[in-house]
Structure formats: structure tokens, C-alpha cells
Amino acid sequence: MKLALLSLLTASAAAFAPSTQKSTSVTALNAFDSELGAQEPLGFWDPLNLVYEQDQERFDRLRYVELKHGRIAMLAVSGHIYTSAGNRLAGDIDYSGTSFADIKVGIAGLSDIPPAGLLQIIAFIGFLELNVMKDVKGTGEFPGDFRNGFDFGWDKYTEEEKMKKRAIELNNGRAAQMGILGLMVHEQLGQDPYVINSLLGYPTVLNF
């Protein structure tokens, strides 16, 4: 309620501001309207004003972070779905006989992984962060371009197709960030995170 009232007061004040100030505000708000991800129905949406009156370098940095978080979230959601379906790697995770099948789904599984295993995971993530998942050679054409000299068939696409594929990745990443957050919240509530399955009569059996 307080936030809504503050928004109304701000809008009222802006209505009576000099025309030059109003023009500057509109320009600042619309500076990134043509950027990738500014699409219907919200257009360019920045409720926290993170890029208000910021330059292109700041915007590119935040887009880079958004893409990276989205990619991680997509991997997390895929892994959660895969393990929730009962799939596990064969064999043991350590020499003491702890099998991959003994690892719980989701956050609860962290307590089942031996400390040495967690350290290896953290070290591997650090290696990827510092040496692989970045624009190592400085040849990236856009934020999140980690090809580093490899083509992977990217250059065969038209500019329109490239923008479409980048938009798909960005939107899937945004959805995955909300998705993994919802899965984690339901886990902590002790409920089936796959609500649709339950509604259809196929509840997911998780070993929290």
C-alpha cells in the first residue's frame, strides 16, 4: 500500500514538472527499449530502476549476469526433473560405498554428499567460472557469448534468427530462475514441488 501511494505521489509530481525534466525522464526510461528481452507484454521492465540513467556498459554487465544465472537455473531445473524421476548415475560416489542412488533429490541431497565430494564440486565450478564460462579471448559479440573462437554453427544463422535464439535463451533462463525457486520453496515446505503431477493424480515421490 505504501509503495502504491509513493508511486502515485511520484507520478503526480512528475506531471507538474517542467517539460525539459519530463523529456529527460522519458529518455532515461526508454534508453533500453530496443534491447533484447524488451518484448510484449511488458516491454522494457525495470521496476527497481537498476539501469535508470545508466550507460550501455552497466546494462551489458547486468545482462551478462542475468544470462549466467538463467543458464545455471536451466541446468538446475533439468537436474531436478531428472533425479525426481528416479534417475541416478550408476555406482558409488565415494570409496565407503555411498551410492548415487542414496543421494536425495534437491537441496536435501547436499547433506548426503561426502565433504570431499562437495569440495570437488565447488572446485570444478570455480574452474569453469575462471577459465571456461567467460569470454576468454575477448571475441564475444554480445553479453554471454562464450564461444571463444569456436563456431558451433552459430554463423550459419541470419541476424534475425540469431536474435530469436538469443531471446528464447533469455526467456527460458528467466522462467527457469522462477522455476527452481519454486521447486526449492516447495521442498522446504515438505510438499510435492510438481503440483501439476499431483493434480493429475501422479504425485512425485521424493525422498526429502
Side-chain angles (χ1 to χ4, degrees):
M1 180 62 72
K2 291 182 179 180
L3 180 60
L5 180 59
L6 179 61
S7 300
L8 289 173
L9 291 174
T10 303
S12 300
F16 294 97
S19 59
T20 55
Q21 180 179 349
K22 183 176 180 180
S23 176
T24 301
S25 299
V26 171
T27 302
L29 287 172
N30 298 342
F32 304 105
D33 272 356
S34 60
E35 290 288 346
L36 178 73
Q39 53 200 49
E40 298 297 335
L42 296 177
F44 180 71
W45 194 58
D46 181 26
L48 299 180
N49 289 330
L50 294 178
V51 294
Y52 180 72
E53 295 185 341
Q54 299 295 317
D55 56 17
Q56 187 68 40
E57 182 178 0
R58 174 62 176 169
F59 178 88
D60 289 345
R61 169 59 184 169
L62 292 176
R63 171 52 50 83
Y64 168 83
V65 173
E66 179 184 20
L67 280 168
K68 180 176 287 189
H69 288 175
R71 290 168 178 173
I72 294 171
M74 285 189 279
L75 287 172
V77 170
S78 299
H80 200 287
I81 293 174
Y82 183 81
T83 53
S84 296
N87 300 301
R88 296 290 191 281
L89 295 175
D92 298 333
I93 195 174
D94 59 15
Y95 291 116
S96 63
T98 304
S99 68
F100 286 102
D102 294 331
I103 307 299
K104 298 184 181 69
V105 173
I107 298 175
L110 292 175
S111 60
D112 295 329
I113 301 175
L118 288 176
L119 289 176
Q120 291 178 51
I121 292 173
I122 294 172
F124 181 64
I125 292 173
F127 171 79
L128 293 177
E129 179 75 15
L130 296 175
N131 299 285
V132 180
M133 304 306 295
K134 60 187 299 185
D135 184 13
V136 179
K137 298 185 177 181
T139 56
E141 299 177 1
F142 48 84
D145 182 3
F146 299 156
R147 288 177 294 160
N148 293 310
F150 296 96
D151 180 48
F152 300 111
W154 179 253
D155 290 334
K156 72 179 182 180
Y157 297 112
T158 65
E159 291 302 316
E160 183 179 355
E161 289 173 330
K162 289 179 180 179
M163 289 297 290
K164 180 179 180 180
K165 289 183 178 297
R166 289 176 59 197
I168 290 172
E169 180 194 24
L170 184 62
N171 285 331
N172 286 349
R174 289 169 173 174
Q177 290 177 73
M178 298 303 296
I180 193 61
L181 177 62
L183 290 172
M184 291 190 296
V185 168
H186 277 276
E187 279 186 27
Q188 297 306 303
L189 294 175
Q191 300 176 357
D192 184 355
Y194 297 95
V195 180
I196 301 298
N197 289 7
S198 297
L199 293 177
L200 295 177
Y202 302 99
T204 306
V205 180
L206 300 177
N207 51 346
F208 290 126

